[in-house]
Amino acid sequence: MANDLTIYWMRRDFRLRDNPALDSISGPVLPVFIRDFAVDTLGAAPKFRLARAIEQFSKNLSDDGGQLLLRSGDALEVLQDLIRETGATRVVWNRLYDPSARTRDAAIKRALKDEGIAVESFNAHLLFEPWTVETGTGGPYRVYSPFWRAVRNRDVASVSAKPSLQWPAHYPRSEALRNWGLDTAMNRGAVVVAPHLLLGEGAAASRLDQFLERKIDGYKADRDQLHLDACSGLSEPLSLGEIGPRQIWHKAWAAMEAGASGAEHFLKELVWREFAYHLMFHTPRILTDNWRDGWDHFPWQGAGEASRRWQQGQTGVGVIDAAQRELYVTGRMHNRARMLVASYLTKHLMVDWRVGLRWFEETLVDWDPASNAMGWQWVAGSGPDASPFFRIFNPETQAEKFDREGRYRAFWLDGDGAAAFHEARPISWQIEDSAAQMISLAEGRTRALAAYETVKR
């Protein structure tokens, strides 16, 4: 093979357009996806969704005359093997920011450079690298509002076009995706969730355009309404890089300048994701431990009967059970519903936020490590919420506000959504459609506030 061959190591960047690693390549490129520990430790739904991303991107490459190579094993060893097989002199990738990926990538970069291989990494996953946003005193931000003000008027790199790529004359052996078994843990749910997926960069780009054309004006007012399809739906392709944040930013900014009333609020939600990565980079404990000091004394319970009923939509609280059914059928959950189920689990049921975090990690097709951790800790009270009030959402009053006519609850508890849930759920789940509440909402609130006061003292 040509000695100017570049190996492009893909991770969560399944797009051709606006892909800095690909844009840096002038000669032939060998795209490779490696199934290593980071893949094997994914939850069932994220792993299933990853398989669909690999499948779709492989098709896109094939249509362009290329091929996505699949290999499994230790990432460094796989890359070293491919370098020996192909004579490649350069390896590139787009950066990830979770602690384990950073540790792995730094070690691989050092090892390959020591062997005389040129190695470069790029930013494709974020608008702003976490270390480039600092407070006036030079430290990281801990509160969202000043973070938003700090980045709102920053220049964002322009979006690059789809590159004209050159492919190798011959490809090394590739493993077969079907042999990886990435769908296995989904069991019966794979068939149910599949029709709800938004696959590939073409579909993501079209969804963005449709959202900006039809929904952006009402976004701020309608986004919390549970029965409305008022959100962008881009968290799923964004999590796997089927669309880049710069693509979203520039189009939404243009919509704001054109007078779209909901555009700035939408941009704030995109920057909320940036803030999650900012926190994960600077305080990686947010993924596993209480972010705020003192919260290790809060008397949360571990996994048990309460969390089991919560997972299965058997709490007896309509909006909570409906939301869990939506998650189980579609692999996603409305953002307002995510806050409600998280508050109910951690406050009314007094179950540790990490139990909920792991459930979402297992069941969300738009799972994102930073957003998932920050979201759970923000709702639980142990995270970066600027408000000192111990936030406890009342799910019934929230449902009256954001599902006033009960359409969301009716669909998932009695309608077609309920039927799909019963089809998808594990057979071992014994579901009672009229489950009694485990604890009254008033009692749950009182108990949580008492626990909070004890911790404060």
Side-chain angles (χ1 to χ4, degrees):
M1 292 188 179
N3 60 11
D4 62 346
L5 178 72
T6 296
I7 294 174
Y8 164 45
W9 177 23
M10 297 193 63
R11 291 94 71 79
R12 302 186 78 84
D13 43 1
F14 289 93
R15 65 183 185 274
L16 293 172
R17 186 186 181 201
D18 191 39
N19 188 320
L22 282 179
D23 294 340
S24 74
I25 301 170
S26 57
V29 55
L30 177 65
V32 58
F33 183 87
I34 301 171
R35 176 189 168 187
D36 68 348
F37 74 90
V39 175
D40 287 338
T41 54
L42 288 173
K47 193 179 291 185
F48 161 74
R49 181 58 177 85
L50 173 64
R52 302 288 75 77
I54 295 171
E55 194 173 64
Q56 182 63 46
F57 189 77
S58 295
K59 182 180 183 303
N60 292 350
L61 282 185
S62 179
D63 293 343
D64 204 50
Q67 178 184 327
L68 177 61
L69 192 71
L70 303 181
R71 290 285 177 93
S72 57
D74 176 80
L76 174 59
E77 293 176 2
V78 169
L79 291 171
Q80 289 171 326
D81 287 344
L82 286 174
I83 290 167
R84 285 190 292 269
E85 292 175 39
T86 64
T89 58
R90 184 169 179 256
V91 177
V92 298
W93 62 73
N94 291 310
R95 298 186 194 105
L96 297 174
Y97 301 89
D98 60 278
S100 60
R102 289 172 57 200
T103 300
R104 174 196 62 187
D105 294 355
I108 290 174
K109 185 175 285 190
R110 287 194 301 268
L112 293 182
K113 284 186 173 181
D114 288 344
E115 296 171 7
I117 303 299
V119 184
E120 289 185 84
S121 60
F122 303 86
N123 171 31
H125 205 57
L126 298 175
L127 297 170
F128 317 104
E129 301 270 40
W131 55 86
T132 67
V133 184
E134 295 181 329
T135 65
T137 58
Y141 283 91
R142 296 173 63 87
V143 178
Y144 171 73
S145 294
F147 180 87
W148 159 253
R149 291 192 293 270
V151 302
R152 183 187 186 279
N153 293 312
R154 275 195 173 201
D155 290 334
V156 174
S158 59
V159 175
S160 61
K162 175 184 173 183
S164 179
L165 299 171
Q166 303 176 46
W167 308 111
H170 304 285
Y171 285 87
R173 172 191 58 83
S174 177
E175 297 175 11
L177 179 62
R178 63 179 178 276
N179 294 335
W180 282 4
L182 300 183
D183 296 351
T184 303
M186 284 290 284
N187 298 313
R188 303 190 305 162
V191 176
V192 177
V193 172
H196 300 278
L197 301 179
L198 181 67
L199 292 176
E201 62 180 306
S206 295
R207 175 77 185 198
L208 173 60
D209 290 343
Q210 292 168 10
F211 170 73
L212 294 175
E213 180 183 343
R214 304 173 188 174
K215 302 176 183 177
I216 190 66
D217 282 320
Y219 178 75
K220 184 176 182 180
D222 296 339
R223 62 181 297 270
D224 283 324
Q225 296 300 316
L226 295 170
H227 65 285
L228 294 179
D229 180 18
C231 298
S232 73
L234 293 172
S235 60
E236 176 193 343
L238 188 59
S239 71
L240 286 164
E242 292 170 330
I243 192 169
R246 289 189 290 257
Q247 295 169 269
I248 301 172
W249 176 271
H250 285 297
K251 287 200 170 186
W253 190 275
M256 182 178 69
E257 291 184 327
S261 59
E264 182 170 17
H265 200 77
F266 179 62
L267 288 168
K268 286 182 177 180
E269 293 301 315
L270 188 61
V271 172
W272 178 254
R273 173 180 179 268
E274 296 283 316
F275 184 52
Y277 274 86
H278 184 81
L279 291 176
M280 181 178 72
F281 181 86
H282 290 288
T283 54
R285 69 179 185 279
I286 197 171
L287 298 176
T288 55
D289 300 311
N290 293 312
W291 189 79
R292 286 188 180 277
D293 294 335
W295 278 81
D296 289 346
H297 301 290
F298 194 84
W300 275 311
Q301 304 173 31
E305 177 65 12
S307 60
R308 181 192 66 79
R309 288 183 58 177
W310 173 84
Q311 290 171 352
Q312 296 180 6
Q314 292 279 280
T315 67
V317 181
V319 70
I320 304 301
D321 295 344
Q324 291 287 22
R325 292 182 177 201
E326 179 191 14
L327 171 62
Y328 215 81
V329 171
T330 68
R332 299 184 59 191
M333 186 188 289
H334 192 286
N335 186 64
R336 171 59 56 171
R338 296 186 196 205
M339 289 191 285
L340 299 183
V341 299
S343 178
Y344 184 78
L345 181 73
T346 58
K347 308 295 178 55
H348 287 91
L349 299 183
M350 297 278 289
V351 173
D352 195 308
W353 59 267
R354 282 159 285 219
V355 174
L357 175 136
R358 288 190 291 270
W359 177 244
F360 275 16
E361 189 177 280
E362 187 71 14
T363 53
L364 283 172
V365 296
D366 64 351
W367 173 80
D368 175 282
S371 296
N372 193 40
M374 185 177 73
W376 273 98
Q377 294 230 46
W378 184 85
V379 174
S382 57
D385 186 354
S387 172
F389 176 69
F390 188 62
R391 186 190 311 271
I392 302 177
F393 290 113
N394 182 311
E396 290 183 346
T397 57
Q398 288 278 304
E400 288 304 309
K401 183 176 181 180
F402 298 115
D403 184 34
R404 185 176 300 276
E405 298 176 4
R407 284 188 277 175
Y408 176 79
R409 284 165 288 175
F411 181 81
W412 291 109
L413 298 178
D414 302 307
D416 291 344
F421 168 72
H422 284 288
E423 179 183 347
R425 67 174 176 82
I427 298 174
S428 60
W429 287 13
Q430 302 300 315
I431 302 298
E432 299 177 18
D433 285 326
S434 57
Q437 288 192 19
M438 291 183 283
I439 187 172
S440 75
L441 298 181
E443 181 183 351
R445 175 182 173 83
T446 299
R447 183 176 66 174
L449 288 174
Y452 178 61
E453 290 300 324
T454 300
V455 169
K456 280 205 305 181
R457 288 197 297 272

